[in-house]
Amino acid sequence: MPLHAAEALILRTYKLGEADRIVVFLTADRGKRRGVAKGARKPKSRFAGGLEPLTRGRVEYFERERRELVRLRYAEPICSPLLCRDASALAHAGYFAELIDEWSPEADPSDALFRLGAAAVEALAAGGPVERLARYFEYWLLRLQGVYPPLDRCGNCGGGLEAGARLSPGAGLLACPACEPAGAGAPLSGAAIAFLRAARSAAPGALEEIALEDRAGRELAAAHRLLIRTHLEKDLKSLRVVREMAGDSG
Ligand SMILES: [Zn+2]
């Protein structure tokens, strides 16, 4: 049984048997893994405090031949969402972890996705602005997946988007007010677009310096929800088809 040591982000856990947990975690070098944490639900477990979703930590695990589940030896937190000062930040840690879980295929390493999650938990633990971080995180996650439409110009006529745009997830583009005066998709004001443009070159720890007024924040939240729903449904369907074709009904 080869032993691997890695930096990892905990994505989710669920109960197994009387005292154990199954842990889904994203490693920096080998992508997403699932493992058994023996005795993780016992009071004095060596996993105590290390398995909260979005915890960044060091893990050691054994790969088992022809077994999908690895065995976790330990998980030691480096940065934990339990350091968050309020419930909203902690809840967002769970949201970010779930998004990463949904968007990261098994055993397909993405250094960029790992670094995004690691930077997000650090910003949350440091008390950064939660809503701005959430919009930033969604933007970068979707951008890394190649589903965020280009921000520079209208996807239809090539005109500027300074006056705002409408996001059309089906067409995968942002359209200017002249091309898309109203109707389908989510509206984004010039202020919302400006936030995204600033987010392109900012670190998650520097979001204090980027303004996001409430209205623009709500627009971005709605637009991102629409994009995520549209694309995850599509992805999950194709994943199911791929698994069925591979004869894997689990
Ligand atoms: Zn246009």
Side-chain angles (χ1 to χ4, degrees):
M1 292 200 300
L3 175 69
H4 297 284
E7 260 202 53
L9 286 170
I10 305 297
L11 300 182
R12 62 175 295 195
T13 71
Y14 35 101
K15 292 176 185 174
L16 176 70
E18 289 291 305
D20 308 337
R21 278 191 185 281
I22 289 180
V23 183
V24 182
F25 57 102
L26 184 73
T27 64
D29 57 343
R30 300 169 143 248
K32 192 160 78 173
R33 286 284 191 273
R34 283 164 205 280
V36 177
K38 282 265 177 205
R41 280 153 59 215
K42 289 180 181 164
K44 287 184 181 170
S45 158
R46 64 187 177 286
F47 296 104
L51 297 180
E52 185 70 23
L54 208 66
T55 299
R56 176 178 155 234
R58 267 181 285 273
V59 299
E60 273 189 14
Y61 63 94
F62 295 102
E63 293 271 7
R64 298 186 291 181
E65 218 175 318
R66 290 191 296 278
R67 299 275 286 274
E68 196 197 324
L69 280 177
V70 303
R71 207 172 102 202
L72 269 175
R73 192 159 159 252
Y74 72 82
E76 179 187 52
I78 297 170
C79 184
S80 169
L82 297 173
L83 297 168
C84 290
R85 270 172 245 160
D86 59 57
S88 165
L90 188 58
H92 274 81
Y95 171 58
F96 297 163
E98 190 178 355
L99 276 176
I100 295 173
D101 187 22
E102 289 288 350
W103 289 87
S104 53
E106 303 280 332
D108 179 16
S110 165
D111 184 50
L113 193 56
F114 180 87
R115 282 186 287 123
L116 176 64
V121 69
E122 262 155 39
L124 284 173
V130 174
E131 289 296 324
R132 265 174 275 176
L133 182 64
R135 305 295 82 81
Y136 174 98
F137 183 91
E138 291 160 344
Y139 167 67
W140 268 100
L141 179 95
L142 294 165
R143 194 171 168 220
L144 291 172
Q145 305 296 329
V147 304
Y148 214 102
L151 300 173
D152 294 316
R153 42 195 75 254
C154 171
N156 203 21
C157 72
L161 299 177
E162 286 68 26
R166 292 190 86 87
L167 173 94
S168 160
L173 55 80
L174 286 168
C176 74
C179 288
E180 194 70 70
L188 291 176
S189 58
I193 304 267
F195 173 81
L196 296 176
R197 286 180 176 167
R200 270 198 305 216
S201 55
L207 291 174
E208 298 279 9
E209 292 148 34
I210 302 176
L212 181 63
E213 55 192 58
D214 287 350
R215 181 174 152 232
R218 283 195 301 274
E219 291 168 355
L220 287 171
H224 292 177
R225 201 158 54 235
L226 191 60
L227 262 183
I228 289 166
R229 197 187 300 135
T230 304
H231 283 273
L232 270 186
E233 276 179 6
K234 197 158 73 183
D235 281 358
L236 287 177
K237 205 184 291 172
S238 64
L239 180 65
R240 196 169 65 226
V241 171
V242 167
R243 289 174 72 111
E244 279 170 5
M245 283 169 65
D248 181 356
S249 56

